[in-house]
Amino acid sequence: MPLLFWLLVWEGAALCAGHRSLEAAWTTWRQTGDISGLLTCLWEGQAFILPAPPRVAQELVELVGTADFWRTAAASLCRVFAGAAAGVGLGTALAAFTAVSRWARLIFAPAVKVVRAAPVASFIILVLLWADRNWVPAIIAALMVLPVVWANVVQGVESTDAQLLELSRAYGFPRRRTLTLVYVPSVLPYFAAACRTSLGLAWKAGVAAEVLCLPKLAIGTQVSNAKTYLETPALFAWTLTVLCLSFLLEWGLGRLLGRLERGKGGTDRAGDP
Amino acid sequence: MLEIRELTLSYGDKRVLDRFSLTVPGEGITALSGPSGCGKTTLLRVLAGLETPSSGSFAGLEPDRAVLLFQENRLFPWRTAEQHIADVLPRPDRETARRWLAAAGLEGEEGTCPAALSGGMARRLSLVRALALAEVRRGWLLLDEPFAGVDPARAEALMEAVRGLGLPVLLCAHEQHTVSLADRRVDLEGPPLRTVKSARA
């Protein structure tokens, strides 16, 4: 229902844009007297300003039918996924290190703040100077994900129930059992929230990096081409592709995190009831 | 025999134990009774090695082998009743876990998580978890308000289970019923915990 509502809003906006292009087409016809020129101007003018949903769907269907579309989408998906996974892994590892060392917190906290506050474009251009253009989107995605995961996991560790930790100590639980029985279940909701939030960030930053770095096979490169050649329907079609891929990844992540949360407090011993 | 000699401990400016001394026989169940906030819990925490006194000492009890039942249940929200018992055993042993759950009257609740247990059931689970660990460690059993929210009939049955372990027990309690189930009682005065008001069998 909400999807239908927004499609109608889009269609309405496209009609308004069409009205503006009608005026432009009318002026052109009056000046040249060419009826085919009027129709072309009407169709292309509307598509240029704001293409209607059927025009974008048509563009998307045409794109999906080409092998290049799938290669491009797969390449971008791999870059963003690899970057997000690296950011999650590194952020979690740094958070764990921060939890056990006060010095680590003193060192990492300002660096993470800088990464959070600095403009993504600056990072993209800097990393482009140091790394291969194919790797830049993945590195940028990782850089955007890392601070979110780090901050959330640190917060999760800090909010772990002190009474349960004291009980673990008093009852002589080995470190590994304390980790699996107390820390992991306590941190998991924070970790899951960080992963869900940062996945969207990874896509935004990753595609932005592709637009600036123009790797050979990348959605961002296609978006940049669409801008250069004023192909607004293609721009919309590629953006829809990013949305679909993002939802797909989010769905997969949701299932994985759901399984982890259901099984939290899992055993560290074979044969445990 | 547990000998406590002039234990002193403060939380900031607040003195909780003030040169407190007590001798307790190394067998049977001894109940410590006293007004709320008089320092009973702190005393048990010192004996369990969770607090370090500023001065004084005790002998006849090894903190590493003692088991403290905390005043709060301290159950893991994500673990089942059976897992709570299994967690304190040196190796997975479903039979032992079920035996202790049966002693607490928690048969059929093996797969239940704490949120689905009543207050009394959660307390009993917390207690039998401590008893299962005490059976392994064979040291002093320190029980802080063990039967809070537990009905008298179940408290008596559980006290028999405690007695069955054959370990020296020191328990803190408010309810006279719990105190009456012990072999001897020590009435304390405080805060700060300084003197023993009376001791009798």
Side-chain angles (χ1 to χ4, degrees), chain A residues 139-158:
Chain A
I139 296 170
I140 293 300
L143 265 177
M144 293 302 110
V145 168
L146 190 148
V148 179
V149 173
W150 179 83
N152 269 41
V153 173
V154 165
Q155 198 189 345
V157 171
E158 284 173 350

Side-chain angles (χ1 to χ4, degrees), chain B residues 2 26 100 111 114:
Chain B
L2 167 64
W100 279 115

Side-chain angles (χ1 to χ4, degrees), chain A residues 3 19 31 39 57 68 70 90 121 129 137 142 154 158 161-162 174 192-193 203 209 220 228-229 255 258 262:
Chain A
L3 184 66
H19 182 72
Q31 285 168 358
L39 291 173
D68 267 356
W70 294 103
L90 207 58
L129 295 175
V154 165
E158 284 173 350
D161 191 336
W203 271 108
T228 307
Y229 301 117
R255 281 181 68 92
R262 273 195 300 280

Side-chain angles (χ1 to χ4, degrees), chain B residues 23-81:
Chain B
T23 301
V24 180
E27 58 188 20
I29 300 171
T30 304
L32 301 179
S33 176
S36 183
C38 75
K40 304 186 296 290
T41 295
T42 305
L43 177 64
L44 291 193
R45 288 177 60 83
V46 169
L47 296 174
L50 299 175
E51 303 282 354
T52 309
S54 52
S55 65
S57 63
F58 58 88
L61 181 151
E62 293 171 57
D64 288 348
R65 288 180 59 204
V67 175
L68 171 65
L69 168 71
F70 290 91
Q71 197 169 36
E72 313 82 19
N73 292 326
R74 303 199 184 189
L75 298 172
F76 298 98
W78 39 83
R79 301 293 277 173
T80 64

Side-chain angles (χ1 to χ4, degrees), chain A:
Chain A
M1 198 64 182
L3 184 66
L4 189 66
F5 170 77
W6 286 111
L7 274 175
L8 284 172
V9 170
W10 182 3
E11 183 68 46
L15 275 174
C16 289
H19 182 72
R20 285 181 61 197
S21 63
L22 180 64
E23 285 171 10
W26 180 251
T27 311
T28 310
W29 183 68
R30 280 182 60 187
Q31 285 168 358
T32 61
D34 180 9
I35 190 80
S36 63
L38 180 141
L39 291 173
T40 310
C41 189
L42 193 64
W43 175 251
E44 292 302 327
Q46 187 206 359
F48 166 64
I49 297 168
L50 180 63
R55 177 75 182 83
V56 174
Q58 182 196 342
E59 182 75 26
L60 193 60
V61 168
E62 281 170 20
L63 279 174
V64 167
T66 63
D68 267 356
F69 169 84
W70 294 103
R71 279 205 296 270
T72 305
S76 285
L77 179 70
C78 288
R79 277 191 205 99
V80 170
F81 181 75
V88 167
L90 207 58
T92 309
L94 287 182
F97 191 34
T98 305
V100 296
S101 162
R102 201 168 59 87
W103 286 105
R105 188 190 186 89
L106 284 174
I107 291 166
F108 292 138
V112 168
K113 271 183 188 163
V114 167
V115 173
R116 260 188 165 173
V120 187
S122 308
F123 273 118
I124 296 170
I125 291 161
L126 260 180
V127 177
L128 186 56
L129 295 175
W130 302 329
D132 183 273
R133 64 177 60 236
N134 285 304
W135 285 100
V136 177
I139 296 170
I140 293 300
L143 265 177
M144 293 302 110
V145 168
L146 190 148
V148 179
V149 173
W150 179 83
N152 269 41
V153 173
V154 165
Q155 198 189 345
V157 171
E158 284 173 350
S159 59
T160 302
D161 191 336
Q163 290 195 341
L164 291 184
L165 288 173
E166 189 183 53
L167 176 125
S168 302
R169 208 167 54 247
Y171 285 12
F173 288 179
R175 258 187 209 174
R176 194 176 158 203
R177 203 178 303 169
T178 305
L179 187 74
T180 55
L181 290 189
V182 189
Y183 280 113
V184 171
S186 302
V187 170
L188 206 52
Y190 292 87
F191 174 77
C195 287
R196 288 188 182 107
T197 309
S198 56
L199 195 62
L201 271 180
W203 271 108
K204 280 178 190 163
V207 173
E210 285 179 345
V211 168
L212 287 177
C213 302
L214 303 176
K216 196 178 172 194
L217 277 176
I219 292 178
T221 306
Q222 296 303 324
V223 167
S224 176
N225 289 343
K227 181 206 74 175
T228 307
Y229 301 117
L230 302 177
E231 290 170 349
T232 320
L235 174 69
F236 272 70
W238 282 111
T239 307
L240 271 180
T241 307
V242 171
L243 282 176
C244 290
L245 290 175
S246 179
F247 289 148
L248 186 76
L249 263 190
E250 208 171 295
W251 174 78
L253 182 77
R255 281 181 68 92
L256 180 73
L257 291 171
R259 282 185 67 167
L260 276 175
E261 284 185 299
R262 273 195 300 280
K264 73 180 181 180
T267 180
D268 62 328
R269 300 184 298 180
D272 219 4

Side-chain angles (χ1 to χ4, degrees), chain B residues 87-99:
Chain B
D87 286 340
V88 298
L89 301 176
R91 66 190 68 83
D93 184 353
R94 176 161 276 180
E95 208 172 294
T96 305
R98 296 202 168 198
R99 173 166 60 81

